[in-house]
Amino acid sequence: MEAATSQRRDWSSLSVDVLAEILRRIKWSGHPSFGLVCRRWQTTASFRYYSPYYHKTFKVDTKLAAPPRAKIFCATGGLQLTLGSRKKLVIADIGTGAVCELPPTSRPRFDFAVHDDAVGRVYGVKVADGVDVSHATRLRNGEWLVGWEVCHLMDQHNRTFFAPSPDCSPVLHDGSLYIMGTDGQLLVYNLKHNRRPQIFGKPRGFRFKFKACYLFESDQRELMAAMVGHQGTPVNIVKLNKRTMEWEKTESLDGSSLFTGTPTTMMKRTNIKWMQDKIFLPRLFDWPETIVVDLVQRDNELAFVPKLGFTHLPTAKDENHGIHMWTCELGHGEEARSIWGAKRVDNNSIWVDFGSSS
Protein backbone atom coordinates (compact mmCIF):
# COMPACT_ATOMS: atom_id res chain seq x y z
CA MET A 1 0.00 0.00 0.00
CA GLU A 2 2.83 2.40 0.87
CA ALA A 3 4.46 1.76 -2.51
CA ALA A 4 1.20 2.44 -4.34
CA THR A 5 0.67 5.66 -2.38
CA SER A 6 4.17 6.93 -3.08
CA GLN A 7 3.66 6.42 -6.81
CA ARG A 8 0.77 8.90 -6.71
CA ARG A 9 2.72 11.68 -5.00
CA ASP A 10 3.77 14.67 -7.02
CA TRP A 11 6.38 17.39 -6.45
CA SER A 12 4.09 19.26 -4.04
CA SER A 13 4.41 16.40 -1.53
CA LEU A 14 8.17 16.85 -1.32
CA SER A 15 9.78 18.63 1.59
CA VAL A 16 10.91 22.24 1.16
CA ASP A 17 14.55 21.19 1.40
CA VAL A 18 14.19 18.55 -1.33
CA LEU A 19 12.27 20.93 -3.60
CA ALA A 20 14.84 23.68 -3.04
CA GLU A 21 17.61 21.29 -4.05
CA ILE A 22 15.74 20.34 -7.21
CA LEU A 23 15.24 24.01 -8.12
CA ARG A 24 18.89 24.76 -7.41
CA ARG A 25 20.00 22.05 -9.80
CA ILE A 26 17.57 22.79 -12.60
CA LYS A 27 16.57 26.47 -12.32
CA TRP A 28 16.23 28.30 -15.62
CA SER A 29 17.04 31.93 -14.99
CA GLY A 30 19.52 33.06 -17.63
CA HIS A 31 19.05 29.97 -19.82
CA PRO A 32 16.56 30.89 -22.58
CA SER A 33 14.85 28.07 -24.40
CA PHE A 34 12.35 27.82 -27.17
CA GLY A 35 9.03 26.17 -26.56
CA LEU A 36 7.63 23.77 -29.10
CA VAL A 37 3.89 23.61 -29.49
CA CYS A 38 1.81 20.67 -30.75
CA ARG A 39 0.47 21.20 -34.25
CA ARG A 40 -3.13 20.67 -33.09
CA TRP A 41 -4.35 22.48 -30.02
CA GLN A 42 -6.72 20.66 -27.71
CA THR A 43 -8.06 21.56 -24.25
CA THR A 44 -4.86 20.03 -22.92
CA ALA A 45 -1.75 20.97 -24.85
CA SER A 46 1.76 19.58 -24.57
CA PHE A 47 4.64 22.01 -24.68
CA ARG A 48 8.21 20.99 -25.20
CA TYR A 49 11.08 23.23 -24.18
CA TYR A 50 14.54 22.57 -25.49
CA SER A 51 17.60 23.88 -23.64
CA PRO A 52 20.85 24.35 -25.56
CA TYR A 53 22.51 24.65 -22.13
CA TYR A 54 21.56 21.12 -21.06
CA HIS A 55 20.73 19.63 -24.48
CA LYS A 56 17.51 18.27 -23.00
CA THR A 57 13.86 18.56 -23.96
CA PHE A 58 11.39 19.17 -21.13
CA LYS A 59 7.76 18.20 -21.75
CA VAL A 60 5.00 20.01 -19.85
CA ASP A 61 1.26 19.29 -19.94
CA THR A 62 -0.83 22.41 -19.42
CA LYS A 63 -4.50 23.36 -19.62
CA LEU A 64 -4.88 25.92 -22.39
CA ALA A 65 -8.07 26.86 -24.23
CA ALA A 66 -6.42 27.91 -27.50
CA PRO A 67 -7.89 27.96 -31.02
CA PRO A 68 -7.51 24.74 -33.03
CA ARG A 69 -4.29 24.52 -35.07
CA ALA A 70 -3.13 27.80 -33.60
CA LYS A 71 -0.03 29.48 -34.98
CA ILE A 72 2.42 31.26 -32.68
CA PHE A 73 2.88 34.89 -33.67
CA CYS A 74 5.22 36.16 -30.97
CA ALA A 75 6.47 35.68 -27.40
CA THR A 76 6.41 38.53 -24.88
CA GLY A 77 6.87 38.88 -21.15
CA GLY A 78 8.54 35.55 -20.62
CA LEU A 79 5.95 32.81 -21.10
CA GLN A 80 3.23 34.88 -22.76
CA LEU A 81 2.49 33.84 -26.32
CA THR A 82 0.28 35.54 -28.87
CA LEU A 83 -1.25 32.85 -31.04
CA GLY A 84 -4.33 32.21 -33.08
CA SER A 85 -6.12 30.78 -36.06
CA ARG A 86 -7.60 32.52 -39.08
CA LYS A 87 -9.96 34.87 -37.22
CA LYS A 88 -9.30 34.31 -33.52
CA LEU A 89 -6.27 35.52 -31.58
CA VAL A 90 -5.42 35.01 -27.91
CA ILE A 91 -2.67 35.94 -25.49
CA ALA A 92 -1.83 32.83 -23.48
CA ASP A 93 0.34 32.36 -20.42
CA ILE A 94 1.74 28.87 -20.90
CA GLY A 95 2.97 28.80 -17.33
CA THR A 96 -0.48 29.22 -15.76
CA GLY A 97 -2.73 28.30 -18.69
CA ALA A 98 -4.53 31.66 -18.49
CA VAL A 99 -5.91 32.89 -21.83
CA CYS A 100 -7.01 36.38 -22.85
CA GLU A 101 -9.06 36.58 -26.05
CA LEU A 102 -8.46 39.45 -28.44
CA PRO A 103 -11.33 40.89 -30.52
CA PRO A 104 -12.27 38.75 -33.54
CA THR A 105 -10.88 39.96 -36.85
CA SER A 106 -12.35 39.90 -40.32
CA ARG A 107 -8.92 40.34 -41.84
CA PRO A 108 -7.12 37.38 -43.44
CA ARG A 109 -4.80 35.48 -41.16
CA PHE A 110 -1.90 37.53 -39.83
CA ASP A 111 1.71 36.45 -40.26
CA PHE A 112 3.10 38.33 -37.24
CA ALA A 113 1.95 40.15 -34.12
CA VAL A 114 3.75 43.03 -32.41
CA HIS A 115 2.92 44.35 -28.93
CA ASP A 116 3.08 47.99 -27.85
CA ASP A 117 2.45 47.76 -24.11
CA ALA A 118 2.96 51.50 -23.65
CA VAL A 119 -0.34 52.25 -25.42
CA GLY A 120 -2.07 48.90 -24.93
CA ARG A 121 -2.07 47.82 -28.56
CA VAL A 122 -1.39 44.65 -30.47
CA TYR A 123 -0.53 45.03 -34.15
CA GLY A 124 -1.35 42.27 -36.59
CA VAL A 125 0.94 42.27 -39.63
CA LYS A 126 0.30 40.43 -42.88
CA VAL A 127 3.18 40.18 -45.37
CA ALA A 128 2.02 37.43 -47.73
CA ASP A 129 1.01 39.92 -50.44
CA GLY A 130 2.39 43.35 -49.71
CA VAL A 131 2.09 44.72 -46.17
CA ASP A 132 -1.20 45.11 -44.27
CA VAL A 133 -1.24 46.32 -40.65
CA SER A 134 -4.20 46.36 -38.23
CA HIS A 135 -4.35 46.91 -34.48
CA ALA A 136 -6.50 46.02 -31.48
CA THR A 137 -6.60 48.37 -28.48
CA ARG A 138 -6.88 47.43 -24.82
CA LEU A 139 -8.43 49.94 -22.41
CA ARG A 140 -7.12 50.68 -18.93
CA ASN A 141 -9.89 48.56 -17.40
CA GLY A 142 -8.54 45.54 -19.28
CA GLU A 143 -11.36 45.40 -21.83
CA TRP A 144 -10.65 45.41 -25.57
CA LEU A 145 -12.26 47.79 -28.03
CA VAL A 146 -14.52 45.95 -30.46
CA GLY A 147 -12.83 44.99 -33.71
CA TRP A 148 -9.46 45.71 -35.29
CA GLU A 149 -8.64 49.06 -36.86
CA VAL A 150 -6.83 49.00 -40.19
CA CYS A 151 -3.66 51.09 -39.94
CA HIS A 152 -2.20 50.56 -43.35
CA LEU A 153 -3.00 48.74 -46.56
CA MET A 154 -0.14 48.80 -49.03
CA ASP A 155 -1.30 50.18 -52.35
CA GLN A 156 -0.44 48.55 -55.65
CA HIS A 157 2.23 51.12 -56.44
CA ASN A 158 4.22 50.35 -53.29
CA ARG A 159 3.69 46.60 -53.70
CA THR A 160 5.68 46.93 -56.91
CA PHE A 161 8.63 48.57 -55.14
CA PHE A 162 8.67 46.72 -51.83
CA ALA A 163 8.60 42.97 -51.30
CA PRO A 164 8.62 42.08 -47.59
CA SER A 165 10.81 39.22 -46.45
CA PRO A 166 8.59 36.29 -45.33
CA ASP A 167 10.83 35.94 -42.23
CA CYS A 168 10.98 39.67 -41.59
CA SER A 169 9.85 39.54 -37.91
CA PRO A 170 8.53 43.14 -37.74
CA VAL A 171 9.95 45.13 -34.82
CA LEU A 172 8.56 48.09 -32.90
CA HIS A 173 11.45 50.51 -32.42
CA ASP A 174 11.25 54.11 -31.15
CA GLY A 175 7.54 54.33 -31.93
CA SER A 176 7.82 53.02 -35.47
CA LEU A 177 7.19 49.63 -37.01
CA TYR A 178 10.13 48.34 -39.08
CA ILE A 179 9.70 45.66 -41.74
CA MET A 180 12.58 44.24 -43.79
CA GLY A 181 12.41 43.73 -47.55
CA THR A 182 13.84 40.83 -49.49
CA ASP A 183 16.80 42.84 -50.81
CA GLY A 184 17.68 45.03 -47.81
CA GLN A 185 14.96 47.64 -48.17
CA LEU A 186 13.18 48.91 -45.07
CA LEU A 187 9.56 49.89 -44.62
CA VAL A 188 9.15 52.25 -41.64
CA TYR A 189 5.66 53.03 -40.36
CA ASN A 190 5.44 55.84 -37.78
CA LEU A 191 2.76 54.61 -35.39
CA LYS A 192 2.88 57.67 -33.13
CA HIS A 193 1.62 60.04 -35.82
CA ASN A 194 -0.16 57.50 -38.03
CA ARG A 195 1.79 58.67 -41.06
CA ARG A 196 2.03 56.81 -44.31
CA PRO A 197 4.98 54.42 -44.24
CA GLN A 198 8.31 55.36 -45.74
CA ILE A 199 10.22 52.93 -47.91
CA PHE A 200 14.00 53.21 -47.75
CA GLY A 201 15.70 51.66 -50.75
CA LYS A 202 18.51 49.17 -50.74
CA PRO A 203 21.50 50.95 -49.15
CA ARG A 204 24.47 51.83 -51.30
CA GLY A 205 27.13 49.16 -51.14
CA PHE A 206 24.72 46.65 -49.60
CA ARG A 207 26.62 43.38 -50.01
CA PHE A 208 24.84 41.04 -47.64
CA LYS A 209 23.29 37.98 -49.24
CA PHE A 210 20.64 36.23 -47.19
CA LYS A 211 17.84 33.73 -47.48
CA ALA A 212 16.21 34.67 -44.16
CA CYS A 213 16.40 37.90 -42.19
CA TYR A 214 15.29 38.45 -38.59
CA LEU A 215 14.92 41.94 -37.15
CA PHE A 216 15.39 42.53 -33.43
CA GLU A 217 16.11 45.27 -30.91
CA SER A 218 19.36 44.86 -28.97
CA ASP A 219 19.66 45.31 -25.22
CA GLN A 220 21.14 48.74 -26.08
CA ARG A 221 17.91 49.55 -27.96
CA GLU A 222 19.59 49.47 -31.35
CA LEU A 223 17.75 48.11 -34.36
CA MET A 224 19.65 45.08 -35.62
CA ALA A 225 19.16 42.18 -38.01
CA ALA A 226 20.44 38.65 -38.33
CA MET A 227 20.92 37.75 -41.98
CA VAL A 228 21.30 34.03 -42.62
CA GLY A 229 22.34 32.69 -46.00
CA HIS A 230 21.38 29.52 -47.80
CA GLN A 231 22.04 26.41 -45.66
CA GLY A 232 23.11 28.66 -42.79
CA THR A 233 26.03 30.40 -44.44
CA PRO A 234 27.06 33.17 -44.55
CA VAL A 235 25.75 34.79 -41.36
CA ASN A 236 25.88 38.55 -40.90
CA ILE A 237 24.75 40.59 -37.91
CA VAL A 238 24.09 44.21 -38.83
CA LYS A 239 22.85 47.30 -37.06
CA LEU A 240 20.97 50.22 -38.55
CA ASN A 241 22.69 53.58 -38.76
CA LYS A 242 19.61 55.77 -38.35
CA ARG A 243 21.43 58.86 -39.58
CA THR A 244 22.24 57.36 -42.97
CA MET A 245 19.55 54.61 -42.88
CA GLU A 246 22.19 52.06 -43.88
CA TRP A 247 23.10 48.69 -42.42
CA GLU A 248 26.52 48.36 -40.78
CA LYS A 249 28.10 44.99 -40.06
CA THR A 250 29.08 44.13 -36.49
CA GLU A 251 31.60 41.49 -35.43
CA SER A 252 30.61 41.16 -31.78
CA LEU A 253 27.54 40.71 -29.60
CA ASP A 254 29.44 42.15 -26.60
CA GLY A 255 29.26 38.85 -24.75
CA SER A 256 25.56 38.26 -25.38
CA SER A 257 23.86 35.31 -27.05
CA LEU A 258 21.47 35.73 -29.97
CA PHE A 259 18.53 33.35 -30.33
CA THR A 260 16.86 33.67 -33.72
CA GLY A 261 15.16 31.72 -36.50
CA THR A 262 11.62 32.00 -35.03
CA PRO A 263 8.99 34.80 -35.06
CA THR A 264 10.67 36.17 -31.92
CA THR A 265 14.40 36.91 -31.89
CA MET A 266 16.05 37.73 -28.58
CA MET A 267 19.43 38.94 -27.44
CA LYS A 268 20.42 37.76 -23.97
CA ARG A 269 23.43 38.64 -21.84
CA THR A 270 25.06 35.59 -20.30
CA ASN A 271 28.00 34.73 -18.08
CA ILE A 272 28.25 31.29 -19.69
CA LYS A 273 31.49 31.60 -21.62
CA TRP A 274 30.82 29.09 -24.40
CA MET A 275 27.47 30.79 -25.20
CA GLN A 276 28.89 34.30 -25.48
CA ASP A 277 28.90 35.94 -28.94
CA LYS A 278 27.04 32.91 -30.28
CA ILE A 279 24.04 32.79 -32.62
CA PHE A 280 21.57 29.95 -32.11
CA LEU A 281 19.08 28.62 -34.67
CA PRO A 282 16.38 26.03 -33.79
CA ARG A 283 18.04 23.21 -35.73
CA LEU A 284 19.47 20.09 -34.12
CA PHE A 285 22.06 17.64 -35.39
CA ASP A 286 20.90 14.97 -32.93
CA TRP A 287 17.70 14.63 -30.93
CA PRO A 288 17.86 15.14 -27.13
CA GLU A 289 16.43 13.10 -24.28
CA THR A 290 12.90 14.10 -23.20
CA ILE A 291 12.07 14.56 -19.50
CA VAL A 292 8.43 14.94 -18.39
CA VAL A 293 8.20 17.76 -15.86
CA ASP A 294 5.99 20.19 -13.98
CA LEU A 295 6.67 23.89 -14.49
CA VAL A 296 6.78 25.52 -11.04
CA GLN A 297 7.62 28.94 -9.68
CA ARG A 298 9.47 29.66 -6.45
CA ASP A 299 11.02 32.94 -5.29
CA ASN A 300 10.14 34.49 -8.68
CA GLU A 301 12.12 31.84 -10.54
CA LEU A 302 10.72 29.20 -12.85
CA ALA A 303 12.00 25.66 -12.75
CA PHE A 304 11.28 22.30 -14.33
CA VAL A 305 10.64 19.63 -11.68
CA PRO A 306 10.67 16.05 -13.06
CA LYS A 307 7.59 13.96 -12.46
CA LEU A 308 7.88 10.67 -10.60
CA GLY A 309 9.52 8.06 -12.76
CA PHE A 310 11.86 10.66 -14.29
CA THR A 311 14.47 10.87 -11.59
CA HIS A 312 17.46 11.71 -13.78
CA LEU A 313 18.21 15.42 -13.37
CA PRO A 314 20.72 17.30 -15.51
CA THR A 315 23.22 18.73 -13.04
CA ALA A 316 25.53 20.59 -15.38
CA LYS A 317 25.65 22.07 -18.82
CA ASP A 318 26.28 19.96 -21.89
CA GLU A 319 30.06 19.53 -21.91
CA ASN A 320 30.14 19.37 -25.71
CA HIS A 321 29.42 23.10 -25.79
CA GLY A 322 26.46 23.22 -28.14
CA ILE A 323 27.66 20.90 -30.91
CA HIS A 324 24.21 19.26 -30.99
CA MET A 325 22.62 22.49 -32.20
CA TRP A 326 23.42 24.85 -35.05
CA THR A 327 25.46 27.73 -33.68
CA CYS A 328 27.75 30.36 -35.13
CA GLU A 329 30.34 32.42 -33.25
CA LEU A 330 31.03 36.00 -34.25
CA GLY A 331 34.39 37.70 -34.37
CA HIS A 332 36.64 34.70 -35.11
CA GLY A 333 36.70 34.93 -38.89
CA GLU A 334 35.37 31.39 -39.27
CA GLU A 335 32.72 30.51 -41.84
CA ALA A 336 29.37 29.54 -40.37
CA ARG A 337 28.58 25.84 -40.14
CA SER A 338 26.17 24.53 -42.75
CA ILE A 339 22.74 23.50 -41.47
CA TRP A 340 22.79 20.56 -43.87
CA GLY A 341 21.71 17.47 -41.93
CA ALA A 342 20.25 19.47 -39.02
CA LYS A 343 16.55 18.99 -38.37
CA ARG A 344 14.30 21.93 -37.62
CA VAL A 345 12.94 21.40 -34.13
CA ASP A 346 9.37 22.31 -35.09
CA ASN A 347 7.68 24.57 -37.63
CA ASN A 348 5.61 26.10 -34.83
CA SER A 349 8.34 26.91 -32.32
CA ILE A 350 9.50 30.10 -30.68
CA TRP A 351 12.18 31.35 -28.29
CA VAL A 352 10.95 32.24 -24.82
CA ASP A 353 12.91 33.85 -21.99
CA PHE A 354 12.41 32.17 -18.63
CA GLY A 355 14.62 34.78 -17.00
CA SER A 356 11.97 37.50 -17.56
CA SER A 357 9.10 35.46 -16.10
CA SER A 358 8.78 36.92 -12.63
Side-chain angles (χ1 to χ4, degrees):
M1 178 64 72
E2 177 63 23
T5 302
S6 65
Q7 289 296 318
R8 291 195 297 269
R9 291 176 180 169
D10 59 14
W11 62 268
S12 61
S13 67
L14 299 176
S15 69
V16 174
D17 290 341
V18 173
L19 181 57
E21 176 62 15
I22 291 174
L23 297 184
R24 184 189 69 78
R25 297 172 69 186
I26 198 169
K27 63 174 61 176
W28 276 76
S29 294
H31 307 312
S33 70
F34 50 85
L36 305 182
V37 184
C38 293
R39 290 179 180 274
R40 297 194 178 190
W41 291 83
Q42 305 294 338
T43 302
T44 301
S46 288
F47 291 87
R48 293 177 184 265
Y49 303 90
Y50 171 78
S51 166
Y53 182 78
Y54 293 111
H55 186 54
K56 302 289 182 185
T57 296
F58 299 89
K59 181 182 177 182
V60 183
D61 291 330
T62 182
K63 301 285 186 180
L64 193 66
R69 300 183 182 182
K71 174 185 176 181
I72 303 177
F73 295 116
C74 68
T76 56
L79 295 181
Q80 285 196 341
L81 302 182
T82 302
L83 47 92
S85 56
R86 182 173 177 82
K87 293 186 178 182
K88 182 178 180 180
L89 279 77
V90 301
I91 300 173
D93 188 314
I94 56 178
T96 64
V99 171
C100 172
E101 290 192 15
L102 277 71
T105 173
S106 59
R107 304 295 303 161
R109 181 170 177 165
F110 297 127
D111 298 299
F112 300 95
V114 181
H115 287 247
D116 187 352
D117 294 332
V119 295
R121 285 183 176 178
V122 176
Y123 293 91
V125 183
K126 182 176 178 293
V127 298
D129 181 23
V131 177
D132 295 345
V133 181
S134 303
H135 71 77
T137 302
R138 193 171 193 172
L139 303 175
R140 291 184 178 180
N141 62 7
E143 299 293 326
W144 293 88
L145 290 179
V146 176
W148 289 69
E149 182 178 340
V150 177
C151 305
H152 168 66
L153 294 176
M154 181 173 280
D155 56 37
Q156 191 59 46
H157 175 75
N158 282 335
R159 290 176 196 266
T160 303
F161 290 97
F162 183 83
S165 170
D167 303 300
C168 63
S169 302
V171 168
L172 186 65
H173 176 69
D174 287 343
S176 295
L177 189 66
Y178 287 75
I179 299 175
M180 189 78 168
T182 55
D183 62 354
Q185 293 175 302
L186 266 182
L187 182 144
V188 183
Y189 182 37
N190 189 316
L191 302 174
K192 289 181 179 179
H193 304 290
N194 200 28
R195 295 173 180 168
R196 292 181 62 84
Q198 293 178 278
I199 297 177
F200 293 89
K202 180 177 179 180
R204 297 185 304 274
F206 189 88
R207 62 190 184 281
F208 309 113
K209 295 182 179 180
F210 59 91
K211 182 180 181 181
C213 177
Y214 306 95
L215 288 177
F216 64 97
E217 192 176 62
S218 73
D219 47 13
Q220 300 298 318
R221 298 190 59 81
E222 299 170 306
L223 186 67
M224 302 183 70
M227 299 180 178
V228 183
H230 184 68
Q231 295 296 339
T233 184
V235 175
N236 290 293
I237 305 299
V238 297
K239 66 175 64 176
L240 182 67
N241 183 324
K242 296 182 71 173
R243 184 178 60 82
T244 63
M245 291 304 292
E246 295 189 358
W247 293 107
E248 299 174 350
K249 186 174 180 178
T250 181
E251 294 291 351
S252 173
L253 296 175
D254 296 325
S256 296
S257 301
L258 182 66
F259 301 87
T260 189
T262 76
T264 291
T265 290
M266 64 175 63
M267 192 172 180
K268 182 78 175 179
R269 286 201 173 274
T270 178
N271 58 4
I272 304 168
K273 189 172 182 179
W274 73 268
M275 297 182 77
Q276 293 174 348
D277 286 309
K278 286 277 187 71
I279 305 163
F280 294 80
L281 287 180
R283 290 182 176 269
L284 299 177
F285 292 97
D286 63 84
W287 212 252
E289 175 191 7
T290 296
I291 302 175
V292 180
V293 298
D294 286 316
L295 184 63
V296 301
Q297 186 170 354
R298 185 172 183 268
D299 296 333
N300 291 327
E301 285 198 332
L302 287 167
F304 290 143
V305 178
K307 290 180 179 289
L308 291 178
F310 291 85
T311 57
H312 174 67
L313 297 178
T315 57
K317 67 180 184 298
D318 171 35
E319 295 298 334
N320 290 313
H321 302 305
I323 66 170
H324 308 287
M325 187 179 206
W326 186 97
T327 63
C328 174
E329 185 171 4
L330 290 185
H332 287 261
E334 298 178 1
E335 187 174 345
R337 183 182 184 184
S338 172
I339 61 175
W340 180 259
K343 295 182 179 179
R344 186 174 183 88
V345 180
D346 190 277
N347 289 327
N348 200 16
S349 62
I350 200 161
W351 291 102
V352 294
D353 183 3
F354 288 85
S356 63
S357 303
S358 58

